[in-house]
Amino acid sequence: MPIINSLGHHAKLIILVIGLTAIFEVCVFLPYGYAAFLPCIIAAVIFLPINMEKFTTAVSFAIMFSGFFGSYLGIPGNENIFLFRMLIPVHFILFLFFVKKDWLRLKYLRAFLLLFATFFIGMAVTGFWTSQMGENVRYLYFIFEWLYVLFLCVYYIRDEKTYQLFAKGLMMLYIGILCIGVWECLTGNHLSQSGSLFYETTTSAFQPTGFQFNTNDFASLLTILFPIVVMQLTTWKHKSLMLIGMIGIGGTSLYLVIMTNSRLAMIVLLLEILVLLFGWSKVWSFVSIYVLSIGALLVSTFHSSRFIKQLLDMVKNSFTEKGHSTSERMQMYQASWDIIKESHFMGIGAGNLPLRLDEYMYGFERLSDNYWAPHNYWLEAFANGGILAFLPLLAFFIGYFIFAVRYWVKAHYDITSAIPLLIGIAFVAASVGLSSTIDKRHLCLGIGTGLAVLNIRYFQKGG
């Protein structure tokens, strides 16, 4: 029987998947279920004939995907300890002692990893003069998570076949996230750790958050993954299904981003759609005429629709009724810059800016709730680490954009070549749109994916 033969051929893989699924279920639904996770892995390594290199590879991808779920895969009552963070030391030990290293995979991207490692070291140096060592250690750990995810992406997403499998997984996850977002918008219900359950505004009840804490985080996740998912749809063989998928995912993504009221995310998503359309058409005039015509047709056709009116009103309100929020951010930026100058560009210590900014904005030191999110990744990094940490970080992203643009131009603006560039644009928007960026794992996964695409399709091919 072909089916039985196939099952027998993949018996080990099936047993491994079933075993991991059972462990994950135990971890999620039983209090302190994660206590059984490490012994299970140790027992599997000792007693089962496991190919350690394949197993370590599987753990690396488990780290990447579990990052999207965050504390939803955490220990009940202590959600800061979750699967993503537990798997990193497991992978580190396995990689360090049990597998053969192939450093040639990093041949073209060593400079990027070294720059980010230098950023980490620069932040660590500020520990000699920081006033809050606890915040320093916390911030350094987040940077380490970023560095490790970047390493996993460029080391394990090493060829086109691996990338396609990874992108398929992201696409399925993305569709699931879209479904959760639509459910939130229609019902006003949210997952257990959504910020909409902790704060109330006139719109928060029906704004999507998915597995993220707030709406802006959710919008940044949609925009940074959108080009990867759309490009994966283009690999579908059936053109009609591909077109339906693109319209469905594109329309739903746009709807959810509008519902978040995130201005930058709306702009980025529309820019991504335009760039992808340009990659297909290759003619700017055709793209402009096409988009404007379709837009005019939709508006004129559905202008009387209550649903369309509500969406248009939300877009308008997002850009016209956030004056107070914008002025407040400008004040925070100025305060952050003043703190940078007061430190003589040496930094006040990793993770210390929110505390100093709170004191600066209120005019006095508070005993509780003394945390003021800076809403700017670049000023935060500069204020925390000073020029010693900021320069390698800036060099990292400048290099990323230089090669992303070169790849896009050299590929004659082909649609597939736009992925690294669009990911970078989405990250920059998120870096000034979110209250905090360093603890958002989906952003570092996006940048890591962009580097992996550059490595596979540009550097390895002699770009």
Side-chain angles (χ1 to χ4, degrees):
M1 295 290 291
I3 297 178
I4 295 177
N5 292 336
S6 177
L7 290 175
H9 182 69
H10 298 287
K12 290 183 181 179
L13 178 61
I14 294 171
I15 293 173
L16 179 61
V17 170
I18 294 174
L20 287 175
T21 302
I23 293 171
F24 292 162
E25 293 295 327
V26 169
C27 292
V28 173
F29 293 108
L30 292 182
Y32 303 102
Y34 279 113
F37 188 74
L38 189 57
C40 287
I41 290 182
I42 295 173
V45 171
I46 294 174
F47 298 108
L48 295 180
I50 295 176
N51 183 313
M52 289 306 300
E53 187 163 345
K54 290 183 178 179
F55 183 74
T56 305
T57 301
V59 173
S60 70
F61 284 98
I63 291 173
M64 296 181 210
F65 282 97
S66 64
F68 289 105
F69 299 94
S71 54
Y72 285 98
L73 294 179
I75 297 175
N78 196 349
E79 283 78 12
N80 285 327
I81 304 176
F82 47 83
L83 187 60
F84 172 82
R85 289 178 177 164
M86 293 192 68
L87 286 178
I88 287 179
V90 171
H91 181 276
F92 181 77
I93 293 171
L94 293 176
F95 182 80
L96 194 63
F97 297 107
F98 293 96
V99 299
K100 183 179 179 181
K101 287 73 174 174
D102 183 9
W103 299 117
L104 287 178
R105 298 182 189 180
L106 307 177
K107 177 181 178 181
Y108 302 106
L109 297 174
R110 282 177 298 186
F112 286 99
L113 295 176
L114 287 174
L115 283 172
F116 209 88
T118 306
F119 166 57
F120 174 83
I121 294 170
M123 282 291 182
V125 170
T126 64
F128 289 105
W129 58 81
T130 183
S131 60
Q132 296 288 337
M133 182 57 70
E135 292 298 323
N136 187 279
V137 173
R138 176 178 176 271
Y139 198 85
L140 288 174
Y141 175 74
F142 282 132
I143 298 176
F144 169 75
E145 283 188 349
W146 273 64
L147 180 60
Y148 206 82
V149 170
L150 292 177
F151 164 75
L152 292 179
C153 288
V154 299
Y155 188 87
Y156 287 100
I157 307 176
R158 61 186 184 275
D159 52 37
E160 192 65 39
K161 181 180 178 181
T162 307
Y163 171 76
Q164 292 300 329
L165 290 173
F166 174 73
K168 285 179 181 178
L170 277 185
M171 182 182 67
M172 290 187 288
L173 177 64
Y174 190 87
I175 293 172
I177 291 172
L178 291 182
C179 292
I180 294 174
V182 172
W183 167 73
E184 290 178 288
C185 293
L186 296 179
T187 66
N189 296 319
H190 303 277
L191 300 180
S192 60
Q193 296 174 44
S194 169
S196 295
L197 301 177
F198 298 93
Y199 59 80
E200 291 186 5
T201 66
T202 56
T203 59
S204 62
F206 294 93
Q207 289 184 296
T209 56
F211 294 111
Q212 307 304 308
F213 181 75
N214 63 44
T215 55
N216 284 336
D217 297 345
F218 183 76
S220 69
L221 184 146
L222 294 183
T223 54
I224 204 162
L225 296 185
F226 183 78
I228 303 172
V229 173
V230 169
M231 283 312 309
Q232 188 59 31
L233 290 173
T234 62
T235 63
W236 290 8
K237 295 180 180 179
H238 299 286
K239 300 299 181 183
S240 57
L241 289 177
M242 180 188 73
L243 184 61
I244 292 172
M246 287 185 175
I247 293 174
I249 288 179
T252 306
S253 298
L254 184 59
Y255 163 69
L256 292 176
V257 166
I258 292 174
M259 291 298 292
T260 65
N261 277 334
S262 175
R263 294 168 291 183
L264 284 174
M266 294 181 203
I267 294 172
V268 169
L269 189 62
L270 289 175
L271 177 62
E272 289 176 336
I273 293 172
L274 283 173
V275 170
L276 294 174
L277 284 173
F278 175 62
W280 274 311
S281 67
K282 303 290 181 65
V283 181
W284 276 110
S285 58
F286 174 79
V287 172
S288 302
I289 294 171
Y290 175 79
V291 173
L292 291 174
S293 300
I294 294 298
L297 179 62
L298 288 174
V299 172
S300 61
T301 303
F302 298 105
H303 186 265
S304 59
S305 168
R306 182 182 176 185
F307 174 72
I308 297 298
K309 279 186 176 180
Q310 288 177 338
L311 284 183
L312 293 177
D313 287 342
M314 289 192 70
V315 174
K316 179 182 177 182
N317 293 339
S318 297
F319 286 90
T320 59
E321 296 187 0
K322 287 191 175 182
H324 177 70
S325 173
T326 301
S327 61
E328 188 178 70
R329 291 195 183 201
M330 292 300 104
Q331 188 179 0
M332 285 189 289
Y333 293 172
Q334 182 60 52
S336 298
W337 181 246
D338 290 341
I339 292 172
I340 290 171
K341 291 189 292 184
E342 289 172 7
S343 73
H344 304 290
F345 302 97
M346 293 300 294
I348 60 175
N352 278 235
L353 178 62
L355 304 179
R356 287 286 300 277
L357 195 58
D358 182 89
E359 180 182 345
Y360 197 103
M361 297 295 284
Y362 277 92
F364 57 89
E365 185 176 357
R366 297 187 296 160
L367 296 178
S368 62
D369 299 326
N370 55 333
Y371 189 95
W372 195 290
H375 289 82
N376 190 304
Y377 178 65
W378 314 101
L379 285 175
E380 182 180 8
F382 202 170
N384 283 331
I387 198 167
L388 185 64
F390 184 71
L391 283 181
L393 177 69
L394 188 63
F396 175 92
F397 280 101
I398 288 175
Y400 178 91
F401 275 101
I402 287 174
F403 287 112
V405 172
R406 279 185 180 179
Y407 172 42
W408 189 49
V409 172
K410 187 174 181 179
H412 304 291
Y413 314 106
D414 180 72
I415 182 174
T416 59
S417 65
I419 292 178
L421 178 60
L422 293 179
I423 287 174
I425 292 172
F427 173 81
V428 170
S431 70
V432 295
L434 304 184
S435 58
S436 177
T437 305
I438 195 66
D439 59 341
K440 305 302 183 293
R441 288 165 295 278
H442 61 274
L443 297 180
C444 63
L445 183 65
I447 294 295
T449 305
L451 286 173
V453 171
L454 285 173
N455 188 37
I456 296 167
R457 299 178 180 173
Y458 182 66
F459 294 123
Q460 291 181 8
K461 293 184 178 180

